[in-house]
Amino acid sequence: MPNAYLPMVAASEPRLLRRLRALVEIESPSHDKAAVDRAGALVAGWAEELGGQVKRHKQRQFGDVLELRFGASKTQVSRARPGAPAPGRVLLLGHLDTVWPLGTLARMPWREADGRLYGPGVLDMKAGVVMALEAIAAAKQLGMERPVTLLLNSDEEIGSRVSRPITEKVARTCSAVFVLEPAQGLAYKTARKGVGQYELRVQGVAAHAGVDFGSGHSAVLEMARLLQTVAGFTDLGRGLTVNPGVVRGGTQSNVVAAECFASVDVRIAKASHAVRVERLFRSLKVTDNACTLTVTGGINRPPMERSAGTVRLFKQARSLAKQAGWVLDEAATGGGSDGNFTAALGVPTLDGMGAVGAGAHAAHEHVVQRHLVERTALLAAMIVGE
Ligand SMILES: [Zn+2]
């Protein structure tokens, strides 16, 4: 139970805070391989101190993906339930990259005020990374027999294109995935929407708006009609949202526009909605037949549905939290994470197990310090799987 881990985690809180500051002070924007690798080197060193094996999945364009393995390498009998099979390998899933460009620290330095810890990437998700290491340390001290992998990706904030196959490969060897993304308020996340992006391009026919209006076919007008249709795909009751977030088109007000472009964000609550959304976008038709429409894109993160396996993990966490005297809630979110990929494989996934705070991707990004110890203790208890 988390109570057993609390004193250990509390005793190591100064180290947790020291490490968090050190990691925040190594800026690690997704697009800067050298920077992300510097952050990775620091974390790999801490993992080695803990007896972890470090495997670097080398990347050319982005930072290397770090696979850190701890604990028993073959199945052992759980101490908690003698005779019962030990829980399988658990995957702790996080990322090293942040949305903040190099130089952000100069105007947004590490700062502690009113029990809050500020700095670029502190909440999303450097705190989650150091919490994972402290949770593993505490679990090891109490005789952890369960094998643990901490996988730290390098391109999560830009869509996890290179890390996704690695995440999926590692997740397939695990019986549970704990995602170290920030909590939703105080809650763990048991469902996330799937995410997609579609691009619409309309090609019209340019003409002088005064001299030759009749021979023009406006791409802008055609796009306006299409976006009305696209916006109508939203079905709030089903958790399906469609947002045309970007539109660009035309050159001058006195020219009938020859081109228009739109980028549309799509969120789906159920994997089965992906087919429906795909069909809707592919069946879009122009009204003005002199215009042509091209549609590209698709759903790129499947939803993390509130599966039975996820609910089981959440109930376990809630009862452990209760034993420690606090109430843990669950929440659903429209945002995606790498947990979407592991959940879609059918591996029970619980998300939002990182820090409590606010302002991810915003200038006031911060972690609330007083929750760090209890959340890390709960993570340790969940890792051990008692
Ligand atoms: Zn994140």
Side-chain angles (χ1 to χ4, degrees):
M1 65 177 75
N3 292 338
Y5 302 94
L6 268 173
M8 255 175 279
V9 178
S12 62
E13 191 183 12
R15 178 174 69 184
L16 189 157
L17 296 175
R18 231 177 18 247
R19 285 180 170 179
L20 181 52
R21 177 172 183 168
L23 194 53
V24 167
E25 291 187 336
I26 297 182
E27 294 176 294
S28 53
S30 315
H31 287 289
D32 192 319
K33 173 176 171 56
V36 176
D37 282 346
R38 279 195 292 276
L42 185 68
V43 176
W46 294 334
E48 277 168 343
E49 276 174 39
L50 246 182
Q53 288 172 287
V54 177
K55 180 173 176 185
R56 283 186 177 77
H57 296 263
K58 300 270 184 199
Q59 303 298 328
R60 237 176 310 171
Q61 194 183 354
F62 302 108
D64 295 340
V65 172
L66 279 188
E67 183 181 347
L68 311 167
R69 290 163 70 94
F70 302 87
S73 55
K74 49 182 189 288
T75 310
Q76 296 189 358
V77 174
S78 162
R79 273 187 193 171
R81 289 170 290 125
R89 178 173 289 274
V90 63
L91 173 59
L92 307 186
L93 189 53
H95 61 87
L96 293 162
D97 61 319
T98 75
V99 295
W100 300 101
L102 289 189
T104 303
L105 261 180
R107 61 183 163 79
M108 226 174 106
W110 171 268
R111 183 165 66 89
E112 301 174 30
D114 308 323
R116 295 184 167 131
L117 313 168
Y118 293 84
V122 66
L123 175 67
D124 187 8
M125 60 172 317
K126 293 186 169 179
V129 174
V130 298
M131 286 168 72
L133 287 167
E134 293 300 344
I136 294 167
K140 280 184 78 119
Q141 259 181 287
L142 279 190
M144 170 180 86
E145 290 177 337
R146 188 180 193 183
V148 177
T149 297
L150 172 57
L151 185 69
L152 298 175
N153 292 333
S154 54
D155 64 340
E156 197 273 345
E157 296 291 4
I158 49 172
S160 301
R161 206 164 42 82
V162 303
S163 63
R164 178 177 182 174
I166 303 168
T167 300
E168 292 179 335
K169 188 167 177 217
V170 174
R172 281 197 180 95
T173 67
C174 295
S175 63
V177 180
F178 300 157
V179 187
L180 305 163
E181 291 286 350
Q184 175 105 330
L186 294 172
Y188 277 1
K189 296 168 184 169
T190 52
R192 284 183 180 273
K193 283 189 179 176
V195 186
Q197 198 182 326
Y198 285 89
E199 279 86 39
L200 274 51
R201 275 169 214 283
V202 174
Q203 186 75 43
V205 178
H208 191 298
V211 179
D212 201 16
F213 184 82
S215 63
H217 295 270
S218 172
V220 165
L221 270 183
E222 189 57 43
M223 184 65 87
R225 288 189 283 264
L226 285 164
L227 291 184
Q228 286 288 348
T229 306
V230 163
F233 297 164
T234 291
D235 185 343
L236 289 177
R238 287 193 161 122
L240 167 61
T241 61
V242 181
N243 179 53
V246 178
V247 184
R248 279 192 295 269
T251 50
Q252 313 263 7
S253 63
N254 62 358
V255 178
V256 176
E259 285 176 332
C260 195
F261 164 84
S263 178
V264 183
D265 178 282
V266 177
R267 308 279 158 154
I268 55 171
K270 296 258 175 262
S272 56
H273 295 171
V275 180
R276 174 180 143 89
V277 165
E278 181 67 12
R279 190 165 38 75
L280 286 169
F281 272 90
R282 299 298 165 186
S283 63
L284 283 170
K285 294 257 180 313
V286 290
T287 309
D288 178 346
N289 285 325
C291 292
T292 52
L293 167 68
T294 318
V295 178
T296 54
I299 300 290
N300 44 42
R301 270 185 211 265
M304 171 180 150
E305 295 188 28
R306 190 176 176 277
S307 69
T310 293
V311 170
R312 182 175 48 73
L313 289 176
F314 173 70
K315 285 187 172 162
Q316 186 187 356
R318 189 178 56 188
S319 102
L320 286 164
K322 198 173 164 200
Q323 287 168 39
W326 50 288
V327 177
L328 182 69
D329 286 322
E330 64 178 309
T333 173
S337 86
D338 286 335
N340 291 56
F341 301 135
T342 62
L345 294 177
V347 186
T349 300
L350 192 53
D351 204 332
M353 296 179 78
V356 171
H361 301 195
H364 65 290
E365 176 171 7
H366 65 266
V367 162
V368 180
Q369 188 182 336
R370 73 189 152 86
H371 296 290
L372 280 172
V373 167
E374 66 187 17
R375 299 248 155 187
T376 304
L378 177 56
L379 186 57
M382 288 294 289
I383 288 170
V384 170
E386 285 173 61

